[in-house]
Amino acid sequence: AVNYSYVDATFETPFTSSSAANSSADPVTGIISVAKGATIPGIPHHTIKMRLGYELTPSWTVGTNIIAASNQYARGDENNQDINGKIPGYAVVNLDSHYAINHNWKFFAKVINVRM
């Protein structure tokens, strides 16, 4: 199974916010101005989720879940103007295996966030 999503989440009203760590913030007050249409931080535009499974035997299956997301603005960069730019995209790989001894007993194992 494969699922893809595209999200264009933006602020619809201009506002000011306290964000002293933002390089574009006023050096005295720590305030940033956020324009209408700025991308909301923490939400990647592109996300893909994939599930692959394989039946090794009628009793034993193995599988993986893969989640990948595009780059995104960090929290505190609501105005999308911090000199550090966006946080890079990422991918997470999870592995699993299931073994059915009989109808009442099943063993399973899961490895989360496999490093590649």
Side-chain angles (χ1 to χ4, degrees):
V2 177
N3 294 299
Y4 168 79
S5 65
Y6 174 78
V7 178
D8 188 18
T10 59
F11 293 109
E12 295 304 308
T13 305
F15 64 95
T16 59
S17 178
S18 176
S19 185
N22 188 314
S23 63
S24 68
D26 181 281
V28 176
T29 63
I31 300 293
I32 61 172
S33 294
V34 181
K36 177 181 177 180
T39 299
I40 298 174
I43 303 174
H45 284 299
H46 306 276
T47 305
I48 189 165
K49 297 178 181 180
M50 187 176 354
R51 169 70 186 164
L52 302 169
Y54 185 73
E55 187 177 272
L56 296 171
T57 70
S59 299
W60 187 14
T61 60
V62 294
T64 183
N65 292 314
I66 302 168
I67 303 163
S70 63
N71 56 10
Q72 58 195 282
Y73 290 102
R75 296 294 282 153
D77 190 13
E78 280 74 11
N79 64 355
N80 309 154
Q81 295 178 12
D82 187 73
I83 61 170
N84 296 309
K86 294 181 177 182
I87 298 169
Y90 64 90
V92 176
V93 177
N94 303 315
L95 305 173
D96 60 81
S97 183
H98 301 260
Y99 183 78
I101 296 171
N102 57 39
H103 293 294
N104 296 321
W105 289 92
K106 185 185 233 185
F107 287 109
F108 67 92
K110 186 181 273 191
V111 180
I112 298 172
N113 200 10
V114 176
R115 302 264 180 200
M116 308 270 258

